[in-house]
């Protein structure tokens, strides 16, 4: 059962358990980027990310929230647009992310998808999202649904993010926030706290080992130039 003639032995490596289980640990606060998917003045996805940022800060994270107003549609601007540069710089800065979208017509909003579409799969052979952690949340105007978070999970997997198992879905969000924009005590609030706790734990567990976790046999076989050409191909 150990006959593997197709392997290129010089690129095949046993698991380095010492490196995997005992990496050098960083001491800085985990860096978490939060994205939301609505530009309404009273945006419940924004209010939810603000609540999440407060919890993350209490847990020891450094948080930044991207404001999507002014971001052009994909292909209706270029990478030099200030809002695109800001978003990409924040993604590069981050070690984990929170994506929170309203559900609109049974799906995530176009505003949410536009932000994700502007995050490149690769920058010169380096994937700015892969190996980072992700938590997904949604808010709904009606009954509870999981359409948006399910779609966000698919996108997270496509971007090679480590999407945590827990998630938050808040129905009838207009009932869950008071007049000052703060979320009321409820099981939905508690679930959001659970999700942020889990995100912090996964981020602390994996951020210092990202390089090794993403070290792949197939990519060890490729030269950096070949890898860059493959992941940056213009057409499929």
């Amino acid at each position: 059962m150990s006959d593997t003639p197709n392997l290129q032995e010089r690129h095949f490596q046993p698991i380095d358990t010492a490196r995997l289980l005992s990496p050098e640990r960083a001491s800085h606060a985990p860096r978490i980027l939060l994205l939301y998917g609505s530009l309404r003045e009273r945006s419940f996805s924004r209010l939810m990310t603000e609540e999440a940022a407060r919890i993350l800060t209490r847990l020891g994270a450094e948080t930044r929230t991207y404001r999507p107003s002014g971001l052009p549609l994909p292909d209706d601007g270029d990478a030099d647009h200030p809002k695109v540069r800001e978003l990409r710089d924040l993604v590069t800065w981050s070690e984990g992310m929170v994506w929170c979208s309203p559900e609109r017509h049974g799906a995530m909003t176009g505003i949410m998808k536009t932000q994700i579409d502007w995050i490149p799969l690769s920058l010169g052979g380096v994937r700015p999202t892969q190996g980072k952690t992700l938590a997904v949340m949604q808010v709904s105007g009606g009954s509870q649904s999981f359409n948006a978070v399910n779609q966000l999970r698919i996108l997270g997997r496509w971007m090679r993010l480590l999407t945590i198992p827990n998630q938050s879905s808040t129905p009838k969000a207009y009932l869950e926030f008071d007049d000052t924009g703060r979320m009321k005590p409820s099981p939905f609030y508690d679930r959001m706290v659970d999700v942020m706790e889990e995100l912090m734990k996964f981020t602390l567990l994996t951020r210092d080992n990202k390089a090794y976790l993403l070290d792949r046999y197939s990519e060890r076989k490729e030269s950096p130039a070949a890898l860059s050409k493959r992941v940056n191909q213009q057409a499929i």
Side-chain angles (χ1 to χ4, degrees):
M1 295 297 292
S2 60
D3 182 31
T4 52
N6 293 329
L7 280 177
Q8 293 187 14
E9 293 296 335
R10 71 180 185 277
H11 298 299
F12 183 70
Q13 300 173 355
I15 302 301
D16 186 343
T17 55
R19 183 180 177 189
L20 181 64
L21 301 177
S22 302
E24 184 176 348
R25 295 293 181 184
S27 59
H28 66 271
R31 300 190 293 259
I32 307 297
L33 170 63
L34 298 98
L35 306 181
Y36 61 90
S38 169
L39 298 179
R40 292 178 178 177
E41 182 177 355
R42 185 169 166 82
S43 163
F44 294 112
S45 62
R46 175 179 57 80
L47 295 178
M48 180 68 86
T49 60
E50 289 174 355
E51 292 291 349
R54 294 182 182 103
I55 298 302
L56 289 166
T57 300
R58 287 289 306 274
L59 291 170
E62 179 184 357
T63 67
R64 297 183 187 178
T65 301
Y66 178 73
R67 312 293 179 182
S69 180
L71 181 68
L73 290 171
D75 305 323
D76 196 31
D78 56 42
D80 291 328
H81 190 284
K83 291 299 293 186
V84 176
R85 289 201 309 269
E86 178 190 358
L87 175 60
R88 293 185 173 188
D89 287 346
L90 285 171
V91 171
T92 300
W93 166 85
S94 70
E95 296 169 325
M97 287 191 278
V98 177
W99 294 350
C100 181
S101 178
E103 181 175 310
R104 185 172 296 167
H105 301 310
M108 77 178 79
T109 62
I111 295 164
M112 192 77 231
K113 185 61 162 54
T114 293
Q115 293 174 82
I116 298 169
D117 283 347
W118 271 118
I119 300 172
L121 288 172
S122 173
L123 289 171
V126 176
R127 296 180 179 89
T129 53
Q130 71 168 341
K132 298 180 180 184
T133 53
L134 172 66
V136 296
M137 304 194 296
Q138 76 169 73
V139 292
S140 304
S143 59
Q144 191 169 42
S145 165
F146 301 95
N147 291 325
V149 287
N150 287 339
Q151 291 178 327
L152 292 172
R153 283 189 176 279
I154 292 171
L155 290 169
R157 183 170 68 247
W158 187 258
M159 305 295 284
R160 294 189 177 180
L161 289 153
L162 299 174
T163 308
I164 66 170
N166 212 343
Q167 61 188 24
S168 168
S169 174
T170 301
K172 298 181 180 178
Y174 57 89
L175 298 177
E176 299 301 324
F177 291 84
D178 64 24
D179 291 340
T180 68
R182 297 303 305 270
M183 195 172 185
K184 301 173 185 177
S186 73
F188 300 117
Y189 179 86
D190 295 346
R191 173 56 69 89
M192 180 274 296
V193 175
D194 289 348
V195 173
M196 294 307 107
E197 280 186 339
E198 190 171 292
L199 176 65
M200 281 290 287
K201 292 173 183 176
F202 273 79
T203 303
L204 288 167
L205 278 172
T206 61
R207 68 171 180 171
D208 302 312
N209 231 342
K210 185 162 69 75
Y212 187 57
L213 289 170
L214 299 174
D215 184 33
R216 298 183 178 91
Y217 165 77
S218 62
E219 293 181 359
R220 289 195 295 270
K221 291 173 58 181
E222 284 187 288
S223 69
L227 174 61
S228 179
K229 182 178 179 180
R230 177 171 58 81
V231 299
N232 286 295
Q233 58 188 315
Q234 298 299 309
I236 298 177

